[in-house]
Amino acid sequence: MIVADEFFVPVTVRGYETDVQGHLNQAVYLQYAEHARWELFEAAGIRQQDLQAAGLGPVVLETTIRYKRELRAGDKVEVTCAFAWGTGKTFRLTQTIRKPDGTVSAEVTALGGFLDLKERRLIAEPAARIGALAKDPSRFGL
């Protein structure tokens, strides 16, 4: 299995993202994870329109979030994103939302794939297809 080097993006928790207890709303953790994924694609040289032109669409098949420490408005975090490629049609994503001091607020793991937009089925060998599209495939550990 190939595992990519750590990639992260900085995010500041905004007040409107918090719930009545003043904590970051649970759904926003998924938005932060998704944001980091798209930033990784951009860093590798793949835009959404590049995927669409290739007839591919990323899909999340399963997600698990482990909440570790609360986040409040104004907190600054780093959201990591790493792909782990196997030999089948799917791949694993590992993401950590942590404060700059290393305190982990949440861990997000996901199982994903790439959908052939015409056939509406997962493609085989997603690592090879994404590696071929990327200007910098090393961002994906390829």
Side-chain angles (χ1 to χ4, degrees), residues 16-19 23-30 67 71:
Y16 63 84
E17 296 172 326
T18 59
D19 60 22
H23 303 139
L24 183 65
N25 179 279
Q26 54 89 25
V28 179
Y29 287 87
L30 290 174
Y67 302 99
L71 289 174

Side-chain angles (χ1 to χ4, degrees), residues 60-71:
V60 175
L61 304 168
E62 173 183 299
T63 303
T64 301
I65 305 172
R66 288 194 168 80
Y67 302 99
K68 303 285 192 170
R69 296 281 185 272
E70 69 183 359
L71 289 174

